[in-house]
C-alpha cells in the first residue's frame, strides 16, 4: 500500500477547492458549449464518491447522499468537500485486506480487493480532477494547478 495515499487525495483536492472558491455561483454552474456538465456537476460527482466511501459501512443510500449534495449551495458543497477529506484520508489509509463492495451501474455491486478499490478510486478521482481543472481554465482563462501524485511526492 502506498504510504500517505489519503494525504495525496487531500493535497490534490484542496488545490482544486482553492480555485473553485473564487468563482461565483453562476460560473460554477455554467455548462460550456460542447460539455455535458458544469464545475458544480463534476464537484458533486467527485464528492459523492468520497461521501459514499466514508459512509459505505453505515448502510447509507448512494441516492440520498447524491440528493443531499444537489441541495447544497456552492459554498456549502466546497465546505463539505473540505470537511470530508480528513475522514476520507483516514479511511483510505486504514483499509485492511478485506474485500470491499464497489458500486457499479444500475445499483450492481461487486467485491474487489483493497488494491483494486484504491486503483478504481484513484483513477476515477484523477479523471474528475482533470475535468474540473480543464473546465475551470476554459471558463476563467486563469492558470490551473498540478494535482499529479508525482508533484505531491516533492511537496
Amino acid at each position: 500500500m502506498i504510504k500517505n495515499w489519503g494525504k495525496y487525495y487531500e493535497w490534490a483536492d484542496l488545490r482544486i477547492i482553492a480555485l473553485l472558491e473564487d468563482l461565483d455561483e453562476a460560473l460554477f454552474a455554467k455548462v460550456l458549449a460542447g460539455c455535458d456538465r458544469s464545475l458544480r456537476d463534476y464537484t458533486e460527482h467527485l464528492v459523492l464518491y468520497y461521501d459514499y466511501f466514508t459512509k459505505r459501512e453505515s448502510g447509507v443510500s448512494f441516492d440520498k447522499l447524491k440528493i443531499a449534495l444537489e441541495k447544497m449551495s456552492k459554498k456549502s458543497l466546497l465546505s463539505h468537500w473540505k470537511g470530508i477529506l480528513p475522514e476520507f484520508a483516514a479511511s483510505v489509509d486504514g483499509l485492511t485486506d478485506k474485500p470491499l463492495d464497489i458500486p457499479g451501474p444500475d445499483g450492481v455491486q461487486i467485491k474487489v480487493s483493497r488494491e483494486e478499490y484504491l486503483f478504481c478510486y484513484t483513477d476515477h478521482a484523477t479523471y474528475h480532477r482533470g475535468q474540473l481543472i480543464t473546465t475551470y481554465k476554459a471558463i476563467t482563462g486563469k492558470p490551473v494547478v498540478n494535482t499529479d501524485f508525482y508533484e505531491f511526492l516533492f511537496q
Side-chain angles (χ1 to χ4, degrees):
M1 176 107 145
I2 296 175
K3 184 180 174 185
N4 291 320
W5 196 305
K7 291 292 180 196
Y8 161 66
Y9 277 93
E10 244 182 306
W11 171 85
D13 287 359
L14 288 172
R15 299 185 91 189
I16 293 174
I17 291 167
L19 292 176
L20 299 177
E21 286 176 325
D22 292 334
L23 288 177
D24 64 34
E25 287 273 356
L27 287 179
F28 189 60
K30 182 177 182 171
V31 178
L32 295 175
C35 292
D36 61 343
R37 292 183 175 179
S38 67
L39 287 166
R40 180 183 182 85
D41 296 330
Y42 294 135
T43 300
E44 284 176 10
H45 186 74
L46 184 57
V47 175
L48 175 61
Y49 278 86
Y50 292 157
D51 266 349
Y52 180 76
F53 185 91
T54 57
K55 296 174 174 86
R56 69 192 184 286
E57 293 183 9
S58 71
V60 69
S61 159
F62 193 79
D63 291 333
K64 282 186 180 179
L65 292 172
K66 186 177 188 306
I67 291 166
L69 293 173
E70 289 169 348
K71 291 180 180 180
M72 291 181 184
S73 67
K74 178 194 135 220
K75 184 177 179 179
S76 295
L77 180 60
L78 296 179
S79 178
H80 178 72
W81 187 4
K82 270 187 198 176
I84 201 164
L85 287 172
E87 184 181 352
F88 179 77
S91 294
V92 166
D93 291 338
L95 284 175
T96 66
D97 288 335
K98 180 179 132 187
L100 299 149
D101 290 327
I102 193 164
D106 302 321
V108 174
Q109 289 202 4
I110 59 172
K111 289 216 179 281
V112 295
S113 70
R114 173 185 64 187
E115 289 76 13
E116 290 169 321
Y117 200 84
L118 289 173
F119 180 76
C120 182
Y121 264 83
T122 300
D123 186 55
H124 198 73
T126 300
Y127 176 72
H128 289 303
R129 280 190 210 107
Q131 288 175 314
L132 283 162
I133 288 170
T134 302
T135 304
Y136 175 87
K137 184 164 183 148
I139 287 172
T140 66
K142 294 179 181 177
V144 293
V145 294
N146 185 339
T147 61
D148 289 348
F149 187 73
Y150 177 83
E151 178 96 3
F152 168 74
L153 292 174
F154 291 93
Q155 296 300 310

